[in-house]
Amino acid sequence: MGKEIELKTAPADYRFPTTNQTRHCFTRYIEFHRCVAAKGDEGNDCERFAKYYRSLCPSEWVERWNEQRENGTFPGPL
Amino acid sequence: MMQGIMDLHHDIFFFLILILVFVLWILVGALWHFHYKKNPIPQRIVHGTTIEILWTIFPSLILMFIAIPSFALLYAMDEVVVDPAITMKAIGHQWYWTYEYSDYNSSDEESLTFDSYMIPEDDLELGQLRLLEVDNRLVVPANSHLRLLVTSADVLHSWAVPSLGVKCDAVPGRLNQISILVQREGVYYGQCSEICGTNHAFMPIVVEALSLKDYCDWVDIHQF
């Protein structure tokens, strides 16, 4: 048996009160990368945004966005 | 949510029984009292204001009493206010479901992800349900607020488990959220509910609700 898991996930967000949560995932992804751009990679301040977007976004989407960021073709504001 | 649906059903059933008894009573009464042997020359009545007012007002009152809890439930179903304990993702594929648990990740790569295929008829063991059993079930804890994000990788699907009162379209490029609270430990079955191609009928859904401790053990075993 491995380490104890923590039962915690992205909280309900009042900006996204509807069934459609597509923007919720996208916004959290952007928030993380803006945070990293502003505060640098080291601090743990941005880690919670990373947890949020990983909880919310399908891994396929995250992979595609990571690729697009590397190629400079990411469509969102970073 | 299922509790709400059942409560509404019971509310409406109260009115249903009331109306049924009343209509049967009038019907039998009319057959009895106006039988041609008892009442050979029928009376001709063409208008009655009082009764017309009554049979307009009463049905509208009844409809109102049905509409209020019905709308309350309708809007309560869309609420996403409660903070969930766990987020899971169900991704529809032609023709199987993929489930992702990424709450416990520390990088983009590692995540608890698995495909859930139907068990073919020839491989079924005794007691397993034909066309409903899958190889990897969606494991959830009972009595916890769960968030399920439903999406698709190819065409439209629909993730539905009737016993949990849940049905949600899986749309490519869109995340639909549903809140689930499983009130009892057990196994719940469902099927894809949006025609999605040849094997639409062969991509069932199985939810296994465990106690919180068993769920944590399950995650431990599969994650690390």
Side-chain angles (χ1 to χ4, degrees):
Chain A
M1 208 142 297
K3 60 183 174 184
E4 281 291 298
I5 59 159
E6 191 187 11
L7 283 179
K8 213 175 148 205
T9 189
D13 191 322
Y14 284 95
R15 290 175 293 176
F16 310 99
T18 54
T19 303
N20 186 354
Q21 294 286 311
T22 320
R23 283 260 153 203
H24 193 176
C25 140
F26 188 63
T27 306
R28 290 305 195 189
Y29 183 80
I30 288 174
E31 278 174 350
F32 170 69
H33 286 289
R34 278 186 172 173
C35 176
V36 168
K39 293 186 178 170
D41 232 345
E42 283 81 45
N44 284 328
D45 309 344
C46 304
E47 207 34 51
R48 71 190 174 96
F49 292 117
K51 276 206 159 317
Y52 292 167
Y53 87 70
R54 278 182 207 130
S55 286
L56 295 168
C57 300
S59 53
E60 205 185 307
W61 296 17
V62 173
E63 272 167 38
R64 194 174 66 228
W65 290 338
N66 284 344
E67 241 168 66
Q68 287 176 337
R69 275 189 311 107
E70 278 166 27
N71 300 334
T73 53
F74 186 70
L78 283 177
Chain B
M1 177 132 83
M2 197 55 213
Q3 192 63 50
I5 295 172
M6 286 190 316
D7 288 345
L8 179 72
H9 170 264
H10 296 343
D11 280 355
I12 294 177
F13 225 85
F14 169 76
F15 292 103
L16 196 149
I17 301 269
L18 220 63
I19 294 169
L20 182 76
V21 168
F22 178 72
V23 169
L24 282 179
W25 178 49
I26 296 287
L27 200 66
V28 172
L31 287 173
W32 181 260
H33 290 294
F34 301 101
H35 192 261
Y36 74 101
K37 279 181 186 156
K38 261 192 175 175
N39 191 26
I41 304 146
Q43 199 183 356
R44 270 180 67 94
I45 302 173
V46 289
H47 194 77
T49 312
T50 324
I51 196 148
E52 294 219 7
I53 289 172
L54 282 179
W55 75 36
T56 308
I57 301 254
F58 270 103
S60 31
L61 278 179
I62 291 172
L63 280 182
M64 214 179 68
F65 279 113
I66 293 175
I68 290 169
S70 171
F71 275 106
L73 178 67
L74 184 68
Y75 290 111
M77 278 170 142
D78 282 339
E79 287 291 328
V80 280
V81 178
V82 188
D83 275 339
I86 293 158
T87 304
M88 293 155 306
K89 282 160 277 184
I91 299 151
H93 290 87
Q94 280 174 317
W95 292 275
Y96 59 94
W97 292 95
T98 301
Y99 298 109
E100 282 183 19
Y101 298 69
S102 338
D103 287 346
Y104 322 112
N105 287 9
S106 41
S107 80
D108 285 352
E109 281 76 38
E110 54 162 298
S111 101
L112 175 41
T113 303
F114 55 86
D115 297 336
S116 179
Y117 283 93
M118 187 189 76
I119 297 179
E121 214 171 319
D122 300 336
D123 300 347
L124 284 176
E125 283 163 29
L126 199 65
Q128 286 191 319
L129 300 171
R130 179 179 156 266
L131 302 185
L132 280 179
E133 216 70 55
V134 297
D135 53 358
N136 294 307
R137 294 164 166 179
L138 175 71
V139 174
V140 302
N143 294 313
S144 306
H145 288 283
L146 311 171
R147 172 200 277 141
L148 186 74
L149 294 165
V150 183
T151 185
S152 166
D154 35 49
V155 300
L156 290 176
H157 301 273
S158 178
W159 197 90
V161 180
S163 312
L164 304 178
V166 160
K167 177 179 279 177
C168 185
D169 273 11
V171 184
R174 173 175 162 140
L175 290 173
N176 280 332
Q177 167 170 333
I178 41 178
S179 310
I180 304 174
L181 178 72
V182 186
Q183 288 177 313
R184 276 190 293 187
E185 290 168 32
V187 182
Y188 302 85
Y189 293 91
Q191 289 172 305
C192 178
S193 301
E194 177 68 59
I195 188 100
C196 59
T198 330
N199 289 339
H200 163 64
F202 310 118
M203 48 181 294
I205 296 147
V206 184
V207 178
E208 187 175 355
L210 304 173
S211 70
L212 199 56
K213 198 194 155 294
D214 290 342
Y215 167 79
C216 293
D217 291 346
W218 179 84
V219 173
D220 262 357
I221 291 165
H222 290 81
Q223 171 94 348
F224 303 112

